[in-house]
Amino acid sequence: MLTRGNNNNMAQVSPSSGSIIVADWHRCKDSKEYFSKILHKKRRKNFGLLESPVMPPHVAVDTVHYKIFLSGKSGVGKTALAARLAGLNIPNMHYETTGIETTVVYWPVKLRENGRVLFFRLQLWDCGENALRRFDHLLPACKEQVDAVLFLFSFTDRTSFDDLSNQIAKWTGAPVGRVVKLVVGTKFDLFMHCDVAERDVRNFQETWSVPVLRVGGEVSDGLGDVASLLNCLAEHLWHQDCVSARRHSQQETGTVL
């Protein structure tokens, strides 16, 4: 298991897609041994807080731990996204999350530079919008030691898209510092009910310099549903750690000199 310092004081960095980890590695033959540890009968395993994939003794794989907060208006699909990323059943009916719910996701990646394989342990924090308003202690708990924030909006709800700037503002500056920030547009496949145009999304990306990812409503049992989003998140998180390590090393060198 690897230990890491918190990187909240680091600036947002945006690596190009596939520059750090091998894209679509889950489709490669040499990944099967690793992905088989997060699957059971071709479906995703449900990992509890104290559980983890078990590899054979001769296969050494480090695990890196990250805390991810899901931010967005009520009804945009935060709970559904957490379930999708973990391979759990998505609720058929919407309900407001009454407090903080956490979901553990394990995802193996292969680093492009040296071929090293890592297990990313992503602990997703989901808190209902009304609960955040009612209880002052919930948001500080969600912000503590957080590594990344996924800002959600729904392509079928224009107000959720317009609210993104307010959502991001809550996570900018002291005492939060800098974390990885990604935007996820849900219900992307509901074209007949789309309230957010692609030009609006492009303008948002240019203004805020935050990547926008898209997920639909349909779900299959395959890994392809979540691979793109999880790989993007893993790439940004690992890049942030590398930048942090380099700067820390430079600071130590400067102190010695």
Side-chain angles (χ1 to χ4, degrees):
M1 180 184 301
L2 297 184
T3 58
R4 307 174 303 104
N6 185 268
N7 299 315
N8 284 352
N9 62 333
M10 305 307 298
Q12 170 89 45
V13 288
S14 296
S16 58
S17 178
S19 62
I20 294 178
I21 68 175
V22 178
D24 290 334
W25 185 54
H26 65 285
R27 303 182 188 277
C28 300
K29 184 177 180 180
D30 64 323
S31 74
K32 303 305 180 185
E33 182 177 16
Y34 301 92
F35 279 96
S36 67
K37 302 307 177 181
I38 66 170
L39 297 172
H40 177 66
K41 296 182 178 179
K42 297 184 178 181
R43 294 183 63 89
R44 300 276 294 284
K45 290 182 180 179
N46 183 13
F47 291 96
L49 291 177
L50 301 180
E51 297 177 305
S52 62
V54 179
M55 296 296 296
H58 67 279
V59 180
V61 182
D62 287 316
T63 300
V64 286
H65 294 220
Y66 296 94
K67 176 181 176 180
I68 317 298
F69 181 70
L70 307 182
S71 176
K73 290 175 64 65
S74 177
V76 296
K78 298 187 293 295
T79 301
L81 179 65
R84 176 193 289 268
L85 295 180
L88 305 177
N89 293 327
I90 296 178
N92 293 324
M93 298 182 63
H94 170 259
Y95 66 91
E96 176 77 15
T97 303
T98 56
I100 296 175
E101 295 183 0
T102 61
T103 305
V104 175
V105 177
Y106 278 94
W107 188 252
V109 304
K110 185 175 184 179
L111 301 181
R112 183 172 294 279
E113 181 180 17
N114 53 19
R116 180 185 178 191
V117 176
L118 298 170
F119 266 111
F120 277 68
R121 182 188 186 275
L122 308 173
Q123 188 176 44
L124 307 178
W125 284 51
D126 170 24
C127 188
E129 185 181 23
N130 290 328
L132 287 174
R133 291 174 178 171
R134 291 179 57 192
F135 304 106
D136 295 337
H137 66 282
L138 291 183
L139 186 58
C142 293
K143 288 183 175 181
E144 184 179 4
Q145 299 293 309
V146 71
D147 296 292
V149 184
L150 300 183
F151 300 98
L152 273 65
F153 75 94
S154 169
F155 274 94
T156 64
D157 181 1
R158 178 73 194 196
T159 61
S160 67
F161 179 78
D162 294 336
D163 190 56
L164 283 176
S165 58
N166 294 328
Q167 297 287 339
I168 295 175
K170 297 177 183 178
W171 293 82
T172 302
V176 179
R178 299 292 183 176
V179 298
V180 167
K181 301 181 183 71
L182 300 176
V183 172
V184 180
T186 63
K187 305 175 185 177
F188 178 62
D189 51 355
L190 300 180
F191 302 107
M192 296 296 293
H193 306 281
C194 185
D195 288 336
V196 182
E198 280 298 318
R199 65 176 179 276
D200 296 324
V201 175
R202 289 195 299 268
N203 291 337
F204 175 86
Q205 286 181 289
E206 293 174 0
T207 301
W208 289 92
S209 299
V210 177
V212 178
L213 307 174
R214 298 160 176 80
V215 295
E218 295 296 325
V219 181
S220 72
D221 294 334
L223 297 172
D225 281 340
V226 297
S228 178
L229 197 158
L230 288 175
N231 283 336
C232 180
L233 179 57
E235 198 154 42
H236 278 75
L237 288 166
W238 188 250
H239 191 193
Q240 178 173 257
D241 275 359
C242 292
V243 171
S244 177
R246 285 196 298 267
R247 291 188 180 180
H248 182 69
S249 177
Q250 291 171 356
Q251 290 173 354
E252 286 189 338
T253 303
T255 301
V256 172
L257 294 176

